[in-house]
Amino acid sequence: MWCSRAAVRQVALGLGATQRAMATLPRVYVSRKVPPQGLEILRKSAQVQIELWDSDDPVPRQELLKKVKGCDGLLCVLTEKIDAELLNAAGPKLKVVSTMSVGFDHLSLDELKKRGIRVGYTPEVLTDAVAELTVALLLTTSRRLIEATHEAKTGGWGTWRTLWLCGYELANSTVGIFGLGRIGVAIAERLKPFKVNKFIYTDVAPRPELAEAIQAEYVSMDELARRSDFLAVCCALTPDTQGICNKNLFSKMKNTSIFINTSRGGVVNQEDLYEALSSGQIAGAGLDVTTPEPLPTSHLLFSLKNCVILPHIASASYTTRNDMSALAANNLLAGLRGEPMPKELQL
Ligand SMILES: O=C(O)C(=O)CO
């Protein structure tokens, strides 16, 4: 941990005007060792006193509750639940919560709004990385790459066989997008050169300005399930989307279709997905997100050859994670100055 402790100790010892000035700066708690760009921005700003949970692992809840007390700002990541309990523990000085994530299902927005706390998040900077990973996961799942490398490494590779390890190709396919936002469009743009025949999407309402870029057709959820050869979930997790990918949806999908989720695990009913995959109702699934995270290694989904599970790495490129960290830091600083944040969530 750097900065504030030493400063506070020096003030107590009666040292230096600079240190005394520092002690009057807004106090912020950074709940994870975020990538260096963000920490540099906070440190170089000289506008805040920082206390950092200097670890790659989440801060224990009790420690977080203790540390946020009296803070003006909080920079957090998606594993921290920012709810009434935490906001009460922080107390009335808390003005800004800045999350290093595009998703905000870990934040109790009603509670934040009620207290007049402003919220920063990190959209856009991760769109390319997430779209890229989604395409990689889709191809890995549809062309059975994990099974194939396993067979090659473990002696299952006999002679060349006509239908061995066959999968499904993108050429001439229909790709469905559930939740068309920036990420959905970016995925479609990357898939287009694979000669996809048609993009379809569903959302709470048509989004013609986004759909136009990829010539996607707006359809109902039922139609999305029925027509998609590849169905990519890109929606936010909300009370309306919780568990929406369930038996009802899977039962309408083709036996040859591939289901991909890089949004949030909570949108999928995993028992129903297991059933759909193990019964052959759908051909395969690629998941970057699950419930819970990490998914226990004993989970039934891990027993399936046609289910590829990644440990929530869609935005995990060095550039993107640093950009997210920098944006989260800039959101925090702007919020504390009372200025518009570069990316503020409208509550
Ligand atoms: O930003 C998010 O919401 C993620 O899931 C990680 O990139």
Side-chain angles (χ1 to χ4, degrees):
M1 292 182 206
W2 46 273
C3 190
S4 65
R5 273 199 188 152
V8 169
R9 214 176 303 121
Q10 284 173 355
V11 168
L13 292 170
L15 295 176
T18 314
Q19 284 86 357
R20 274 199 300 280
M22 266 191 76
T24 65
L25 294 175
R27 281 180 53 210
V28 302
Y29 190 65
V30 180
S31 70
R32 189 71 68 88
K33 187 167 75 180
V34 293
Q37 276 189 18
L39 292 176
E40 276 297 296
I41 288 168
L42 292 180
R43 189 161 39 188
K44 284 198 177 144
S45 77
Q47 290 170 15
V48 284
Q49 301 179 63
I50 303 152
E51 187 161 358
L52 169 70
W53 178 252
D54 194 7
S55 168
D56 268 341
D57 293 319
V59 54
R61 180 75 178 176
Q62 285 313 312
E63 178 77 1
L64 177 62
L65 294 176
K66 206 162 73 193
K67 292 296 187 185
V68 292
K69 190 170 164 41
C71 280
D72 301 271
L74 171 65
L75 195 158
C76 67
V77 297
L78 53 83
T79 49
E80 272 85 64
K81 287 266 162 283
I82 308 302
D83 54 10
E85 180 191 38
L86 183 129
L87 298 174
N88 289 341
K93 281 185 77 187
L94 190 67
K95 290 176 208 63
V96 182
V97 170
S98 172
T99 181
M100 191 189 123
S101 62
V102 65
F104 43 82
D105 46 287
H106 56 301
L107 311 178
S108 299
L109 300 184
D110 289 350
E111 296 292 337
L112 286 153
K113 187 173 178 177
K114 210 158 74 186
R115 290 165 172 81
I117 297 170
R118 294 170 64 195
V119 176
Y121 72 137
T122 63
E124 291 174 28
V125 291
L126 47 58
T127 300
D128 288 333
V130 173
E132 200 172 287
L133 187 285
T134 306
V135 172
L137 179 57
L138 185 150
L139 288 168
T140 301
T141 308
S142 61
R143 298 303 302 271
R144 303 172 62 183
L145 300 189
I146 305 296
E147 277 180 82
T149 56
H150 178 76
E151 293 296 330
K153 268 200 285 198
T154 58
W157 185 2
T159 184
W160 185 91
R161 301 185 197 110
T162 56
L163 287 175
W164 188 52
L165 285 173
C166 281
Y168 297 95
E169 63 189 55
L170 277 161
N172 301 312
S173 68
T174 297
V175 172
I177 299 167
F178 176 44
L180 189 71
R182 285 174 296 262
I183 292 176
V185 170
I187 293 168
E189 282 168 346
R190 282 160 177 76
L191 291 179
K192 215 175 154 80
F194 285 89
K195 298 191 181 170
V196 168
N197 181 44
K198 178 89 191 157
F199 291 104
I200 57 179
Y201 76 102
T202 200
D203 210 314
V204 280
R207 307 199 61 184
E209 72 297 345
L210 287 171
E212 198 188 341
I214 50 165
Q215 290 164 350
E217 180 190 347
Y218 182 71
V219 296
S220 66
M221 188 75 172
D222 270 19
E223 210 177 332
L224 192 83
R226 271 190 253 282
R227 285 175 57 189
S228 297
D229 296 303
F230 299 87
L231 202 168
V233 181
C234 305
C235 65
L237 176 61
T238 66
D240 289 338
T241 60
Q242 177 85 39
I244 196 165
C245 299
N246 57 18
K247 199 186 200 130
N248 182 36
L249 177 100
F250 299 131
S251 68
K252 290 173 187 137
M253 288 173 69
K254 304 176 198 181
N255 296 157
T256 51
S257 54
I258 303 285
F259 176 82
I260 302 294
N261 184 14
T262 49
S263 66
R264 284 290 183 268
V267 302
V268 177
N269 179 316
Q270 291 177 173
E271 285 72 41
D272 292 355
L273 176 62
Y274 174 79
E275 204 43 50
L277 287 167
S278 55
S279 67
Q281 173 61 53
I282 65 172
L287 311 174
D288 182 49
V289 284
T290 58
T291 310
E293 291 182 5
L295 192 67
T297 52
S298 59
H299 197 282
L300 279 175
L301 284 172
F302 276 122
S303 68
L304 298 173
K305 283 189 177 168
N306 57 350
C307 188
V308 176
I309 301 175
L310 302 178
H312 201 150
I313 56 162
S315 67
S317 77
Y318 292 111
T319 307
T320 289
R321 288 285 168 85
N322 263 301
D323 289 350
M324 290 167 73
S325 170
L327 180 52
N330 284 324
N331 282 337
L332 183 71
L333 292 174
L336 289 171
R337 288 193 301 262
E339 295 169 4
M341 295 183 195
K343 294 291 170 195
E344 182 162 355
L345 204 55
Q346 298 313 319
L347 299 181

